[in-house]
């Protein structure tokens, strides 16, 4: 096969593969979008892609009748809090793991990273009891503490690897320039770690936004997050309000998707360093 | 700087995280282990009686628990689909194609969506009366009548597994793409000079370079697929009966539907034992390298 034919063949294979992957990725989302823009009743008829009557009535009823706005705001608070607190708590130990000499470093790091594999459903019951004792059930901070059980080990894993692969000479030079230990850290190390920091924030945000397990048990209507509320659109008898459900599905999927669009190049770069040899 | 000063300042880096992990991770865990040896029904019981291994014995004597293990086994097969799609997507996107970052972004949308949301969408697609899967399979002649995928216990466990595979394959893609971008370009240039073709370059450069990332991603995905349940909960609540209840959902249902915290936790300890081999692999790859 001539090189020209080979490269054309390669292009065709890549094109077909991409088309298949893209349809797999988009198909369910397209179903949700088209279902959300038709009258409620139209979901219970023979399947058709284009709505017979285009309307946003299910969006409006999700927002008014089902008060999704309130629950989405709860999600915003709990996810942003989870992201920021993860960074605040995870950055110092990660930096210390990467840079400082001390005994038990390997053991400490293992204990933290193993927590990543922990079946979190195990923690649900005890954390429920502890938060009840601290009077923190049905509060947003209570949710933060629950989410952090997962997001902190995850964050330390990514950040430690990132910090240890940053060249040391940069901060040593900064320290020699008179910036001092903290000056070097805040003015040199942190800006260099921006990709990893954004990746960690995004993943922690996503966890807080997506998690059903903790808020389903730890909250009532007051602080319930939006994903838990999705459950209201299906009933025990098996009847589901498809239109309202799909409108809410898209509504609560948009914030993480938009956040992702803004910072995705940092995420791949932040993770690249972690998983590369 | 004096040695004690250095050590003290190192400790300061760790104080918040240690305090947090003790209160919210290690104490809860030990608390739960203790709970698994007690009859603890509902949260308000003051002095739960010690019952030794009774919770564990009851678990092994109940036929439901074996169904749950079977569902758990089916559910983690999603990992294979995730690895397959994720690897192919990462290899293709790593090629110099036009609009690759947009395409990568679209492939990742499903991963950025909450599990409860994708669970809702799949619930519709599987619907017995209006679901698009039935419509499609009927139209191309594979089935003669609509199948209630989520309420027929022959199909339900596989149906929720497929939904999980779809939800999380982009995670594998994301990690493997990141790993691919970390492979130095010169490796390929040198191989080309020596006349290695596409396949040889894949086998001798790409795969060995990806090895760590693949193992990490497999271990993480298997252990996470073992402990995921919210997407299933949205689609079936674990039913009909227990036919879509994996171990994680079993623990949740035992605790918050049957309010038998002691037995729920003993199932949790068993789940943890399943995960131990994964922890060992993970340790070899991540910490020892």
């Amino acid at each position: 096969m001539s090189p020209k034919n080979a490269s054309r063949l390669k292009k065709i294979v890549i094109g077909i593969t991409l088309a298949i992957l893209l349809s797999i990725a988009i198909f369910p989302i397209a179903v949700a979008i088209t279902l959300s823009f038709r009258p409620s009743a139209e979901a219970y008829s023979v399947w058709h892609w284009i709505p017979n009557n285009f309307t946003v009535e299910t969006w409006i009823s999700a927002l008014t009748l089902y008060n999704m706005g309130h629950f989405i705001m709860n999600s915003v608070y709990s996810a942003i809090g989870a992201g920021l607190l993860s960074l605040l708590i995870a950055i110092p130990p990660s930096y210390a793991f990467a840079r400082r000499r001390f005994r038990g470093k390997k053991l400490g790091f293992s204990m933290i990273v193993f927590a990543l594999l922990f079946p979190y459903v195990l923690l649900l019951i005890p954390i429920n009891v502890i938060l009840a004792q601290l009077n923190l059930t049905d509060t947003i901070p209570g949710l933060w503490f629950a989410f952090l059980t997962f997001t902190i080990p995850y964050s330390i894993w990514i950040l430690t690897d990132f910090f240890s692969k940053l060249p040391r000479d940069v901060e040593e030079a900064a320290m020699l320039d008179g910036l001092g230990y903290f000056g070097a850290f805040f003015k040199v190390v942190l800006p260099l770690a921006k990709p990893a920091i954004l990746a960690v924030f995004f993943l922690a945000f996503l966890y807080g936004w997506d998690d059903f397990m903790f808020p389903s048990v730890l909250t009532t209507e007051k602080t319930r997050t939006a994903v838990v509320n999705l459950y209201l659109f299906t009933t025990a008898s098996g009847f589901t309000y498809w239109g309202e459900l799909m409108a809410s599905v898209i509504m609560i999927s948009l914030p993480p998707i938009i956040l992702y669009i803004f910072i995705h190049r940092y995420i791949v770069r932040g993770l690249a360093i972690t998983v590369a040899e | 700087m004096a040695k004690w000063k250095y050590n003290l300042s190192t400790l300061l880096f760790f104080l918040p995280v240690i305090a947090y992990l003790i209160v919210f991770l290690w104490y809860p865990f030990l608390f739960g282990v203790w709970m698994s040896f007690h009859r603890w029904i509902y949260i308000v019981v003051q002095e739960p009686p010690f019952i030794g291994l009774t919770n564990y014995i009851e678990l092994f004597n109940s036929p439901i628990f074996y169904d749950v293990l079977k569902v758990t086994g089916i559910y983690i097969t999603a990992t294979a689909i995730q690895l397959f799609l994720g690897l192919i997507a990462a290899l293709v996107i790593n090629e110099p194609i036009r609009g690759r970052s947009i395409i990568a972004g679209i492939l990742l949308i499903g991963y950025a969506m909450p599990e409860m949301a994708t669970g809702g969408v799949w619930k519709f697609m599987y619907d017995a009366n209006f679901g698009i899967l039935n419509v499609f399979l009927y139209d191309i002649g594979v089935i003669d009548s609509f199948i209630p995928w989520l309420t027929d216990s022959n199909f339900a466990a596989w149906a929720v597994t497929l939904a999980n595979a779809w939800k999380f394959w982009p995670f594998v893609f994301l990690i493997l793409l990141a790993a691919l971008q970390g492979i130095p370009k010169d490796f390929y240039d040198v191989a080309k000079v020596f006349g290695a073709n596409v396949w040889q370059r894949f086998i001798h450069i790409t795969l060995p370079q990806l090895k760590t990332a693949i193992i990490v991603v497999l271990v993480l995905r298997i252990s996470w697929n073992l402990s995921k349940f919210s997407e299933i909960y949205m689609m079936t609540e674990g039913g009909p009966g227990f036919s879509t209840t994996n171990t994680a959902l079993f623990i949740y249902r035992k605790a918050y539907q049957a309010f038998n915290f002691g037995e729920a936790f003993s199932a949790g300890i068993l789940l943890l034992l399943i995960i131990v081999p994964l922890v060992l692999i993970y340790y070899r790859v991540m910490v020892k390298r």
Side-chain angles (χ1 to χ4, degrees), chain A residues 10 24-25 28 44 92 100-101 113 116-118 122-123 125-126 128 145 148-149 157 161 216 231 260 277, chain B residues 6 9-10 13 20 24-25 28-29 95 108 121 130 166 212 223-224 237 252 256 261 265 268 282 286 289:
Chain A
K10 192 179 164 192
I24 292 175
Y44 312 97
R100 297 180 78 88
R101 286 164 286 112
V113 178
L116 267 185
L117 302 179
F118 207 77
L122 269 183
L123 294 179
I125 309 156
N128 189 349
F145 287 126
L148 289 174
T149 51
W157 176 52
D161 253 43
S216 74
Y231 195 66
Y260 171 77
E277 295 270 356
Chain B
Y6 182 84
S9 62
T10 303
F13 283 85
Y20 175 79
F24 286 100
L25 196 72
F29 173 64
E95 293 292 323
L108 282 160
V121 179
F130 314 105
W166 180 84
T212 310
S223 71
W224 290 346
E237 283 182 70
Y252 186 85
Y256 291 97
F261 291 99
F265 219 90
Y282 191 70
M286 281 312 293
R289 63 172 173 158

Side-chain angles (χ1 to χ4, degrees), chain A residues 10 14 17-18 21-22 24-29 31-32 35 43-45 47 49 89 92-93 95-97 99-102 106 110-131 134 145-146 148-150 152 154 156-157 161 165 181 203 206 209-210 212-213 216-217 227 230-231 234 240 242 245-246 249 252-253 256-257 260 264 267-268 271-272 274-277, chain B residues 6 9-10 13-14 16-17 20-21 23-29 31-32 35 43 85 88-89 92-93 95 97 101 103-117 120-125 127 130 132 135 166 169 171 174-175 177-179 181-182 209 212-213 216 219-220 223-224 227 229-230 233-234 237 248 251-252 255-256 261 264-265 268-269 271-272 275 278-279 282-283 286-287 289:
Chain A
K10 192 179 164 192
I14 287 178
T17 316
L18 275 181
L21 289 171
L22 281 171
I24 292 175
I26 293 171
F27 188 85
I29 300 166
V31 169
L35 272 177
Y44 312 97
S45 62
W47 174 257
W49 279 101
I89 300 181
Y95 187 66
F97 274 130
R99 284 291 190 261
R100 297 180 78 88
R101 286 164 286 112
F102 57 92
K106 234 175 190 176
S110 315
M111 296 260 283
I112 287 174
V113 178
F114 287 166
L116 267 185
L117 302 179
F118 207 77
Y120 275 80
V121 62
L122 269 183
L123 294 179
L124 176 61
I125 309 156
I127 282 185
N128 189 349
V129 176
I130 292 170
L131 289 179
L134 297 173
F145 287 126
L148 289 174
T149 51
F150 181 77
I152 283 184
Y154 205 14
I156 292 180
W157 176 52
D161 253 43
K165 280 162 186 163
Y181 195 82
L203 292 170
L206 204 59
W209 190 273
D210 290 5
F212 163 80
M213 184 180 79
S216 74
V217 168
V227 289
L230 283 184
Y231 195 66
T234 69
T240 305
W242 294 120
L245 173 65
M246 295 307 163
V249 157
I252 68 174
S253 299
I257 291 174
Y260 171 77
H264 77 276
I267 295 170
V268 176
L271 291 174
T274 299
V275 294
E277 295 270 356
Chain B
Y6 182 84
S9 62
T10 303
F13 283 85
F14 285 97
V17 74
Y20 175 79
L21 289 179
V23 175
F24 286 100
L25 196 72
W26 296 108
Y27 170 70
F29 173 64
F31 181 74
M35 202 145 60
I43 216 153
L85 288 177
I88 289 181
V92 172
I93 294 293
E95 293 292 323
I97 45 174
S101 71
I103 298 174
I106 295 173
L107 292 181
L108 282 160
I109 291 177
Y111 179 59
M113 288 170 75
E115 275 174 81
M116 291 294 281
V121 179
W122 281 85
K123 188 182 166 89
F124 174 80
M125 297 205 295
D127 189 82
F130 314 105
I132 191 163
V135 173
W166 180 84
W169 75 266
F171 172 80
L174 185 67
I175 299 282
L177 178 66
Q181 297 190 342
Q209 289 285 318
T212 310
V216 169
V219 169
L220 287 176
S223 71
W224 290 346
S227 48
F229 69 86
S230 46
Y233 195 82
M234 181 71 197
E237 283 182 70
I251 297 166
Y252 186 85
Y256 291 97
F261 291 99
F265 219 90
I269 301 290
L271 177 59
L272 191 63
I275 291 180
L278 294 171
V279 172
Y282 191 70
Y283 180 76
M286 281 312 293
V287 186
R289 63 172 173 158

Side-chain angles (χ1 to χ4, degrees), chain A residues 185-199:
Chain A
F185 179 74
F186 283 107
K187 293 208 175 113
V188 178
V189 178
L190 277 191
L192 282 175
K194 191 173 156 198
I197 287 174
L198 287 176

Side-chain angles (χ1 to χ4, degrees), chain A residues 13 15-16 25 34 38 60 129 135 141 143 150 153 201 225 238 249 251:
Chain A
V13 171
I16 293 174
T34 175
R38 59 185 74 181
I60 291 165
V129 176
N135 263 332
L143 284 179
F150 181 77
F201 178 83
T225 55
V249 157
M251 231 180 271

